[in-house]
Amino acid sequence: MKIISSEIVISAVSPKQYPDDGKPEFALVGRSNVGKSSAINTMLNRKNLARVSSSPGKTRTINFYLVNKEFYLVDLPGYGYTKVSKSEKANWGKMIETYLQSRKNLYEVILLVDIRHEPTADDKMMYDWIKHYGYGTVVIATKSDKISRGNYQKHFKIIRKKLGMSATDKIVPISSLKKEGVDELWKNFKGLFAVNDLSITTEPALK
Ligand code: GTP
Ligand code: MG
């Protein structure tokens, strides 16, 4: 995938702020601190477009990143962050649910899990939920630099089993630290563009 432009269009807290240009959207969901914002930066070859933090709970709004003026990567606030109040948690849940349930131009929701750990009960719940809505064909296993390549399959097996993934669903390992796995991830996006009949240019020319 050739990235010629990427920009944040809006950090939204309510549906009326979502972009209304109808361009296709692809959302990233997962536990707080799993590496969603980092993954977006890595995919777009940007250092600090999406705000990253070692303390969980960095992303608290729904952030829409426009790529090549053609489609959006959408960064959602992470769940499972314990240090927030009940009402704040409920708010986040509602914000995510409203977005995921009502978005017509949302073509895929990608769950991110940490390659090292068995997915949590929250991950499983989120995966079941996105599957129910017809998403979840691609799962990203983050922080792949933390284990050796020889152990990938073992960890994939644990992730697949816990989430109850079907054999055709993909797991893509990425390391935002080492900038690895991005080509494979974009390859999967190209597959998503194709199955959804989206005319997104993967090799756009500079104008
Ligand atoms: P929230 O915004 O709280 O939901 O978190 P997030 O999922 O957006 O995570 P974020 O990208 O902010 O990353 C959290 C921490 O994990 C940061 O300290 C990152 O530097 C680190 N991190 C992210 N990706 C990787 C990776 O591939 N490898 C390693 N080693 N660390 C990573
Ligand atoms: Mg984030």
Side-chain angles (χ1 to χ4, degrees):
M1 184 82 194
K2 195 161 147 191
I3 308 298
I4 54 170
S5 71
S6 56
E7 63 201 279
I8 176 138
V9 169
I10 183 92
S11 286
V13 290
S14 79
K16 58 179 185 297
Q17 297 175 306
Y18 300 166
D20 60 2
D21 54 17
K23 288 182 173 139
E25 293 171 4
F26 302 86
L28 271 58
V29 295
R31 212 163 38 77
S32 193
N33 220 37
V34 72
K36 297 175 295 299
S37 301
S38 302
I40 287 182
N41 286 332
T42 306
M43 290 177 76
L44 300 178
N45 210 5
R46 297 278 301 260
K47 271 206 176 80
N48 285 312
L49 183 65
R51 302 268 297 281
V52 167
S53 167
S54 54
S55 51
K58 186 70 192 170
T59 310
R60 295 187 175 211
T61 50
I62 300 185
N63 299 327
F64 293 81
Y65 298 98
L66 181 60
V67 185
N68 293 349
K69 312 249 183 230
E70 285 196 285
F71 64 95
Y72 290 94
L73 290 181
V74 182
D75 193 7
L76 295 167
Y79 50 80
Y81 176 41
T82 47
K83 283 190 192 157
V84 292
S85 67
K86 257 194 180 153
S87 66
E88 208 173 350
K89 268 187 197 166
N91 256 340
W92 291 6
K94 217 168 171 184
M95 187 159 77
I96 296 174
E97 198 173 305
T98 306
Y99 170 73
L100 294 177
Q101 250 173 4
S102 63
R103 209 59 182 153
K104 287 204 173 58
N105 49 326
L106 176 60
Y107 284 90
E108 185 54 286
V109 181
I110 298 176
L111 177 70
L112 284 80
V113 293
D114 189 316
I115 198 166
R116 295 170 291 177
H117 310 303
E118 182 178 56
T120 63
D122 281 346
D123 290 330
K124 169 71 177 149
M125 210 153 67
M126 183 48 106
Y127 192 67
D128 285 348
W129 203 80
I130 63 181
K131 271 281 172 190
H132 172 78
Y133 285 95
Y135 304 122
T137 62
V138 179
V139 167
I140 295 177
T142 63
K143 311 193 183 183
S144 63
D145 51 277
K146 300 270 196 186
I147 64 169
S148 67
R149 217 165 271 266
N151 281 327
Y152 282 10
Q153 290 309 324
K154 190 176 84 190
H155 287 251
F156 290 168
K157 220 172 142 182
I158 294 168
I159 293 168
R160 277 190 180 281
K161 187 163 176 230
K162 176 75 186 206
L163 294 179
M165 294 174 69
S166 68
T168 50
D169 296 334
K170 305 253 170 54
I171 299 186
V172 185
I174 66 160
S175 167
S176 295
L177 186 76
K178 295 198 171 168
K179 316 280 169 226
E180 284 170 2
V182 188
D183 289 348
E184 186 59 30
L185 183 55
W186 277 123
K187 212 193 264 175
N188 279 279
F189 266 80
K190 286 177 195 174
L192 293 172
F193 299 160
V195 293
N196 289 296
D197 255 337
L198 296 168
S199 56
I200 289 170
T201 334
T202 54
E203 297 292 323
L206 279 169
K207 288 199 184 99

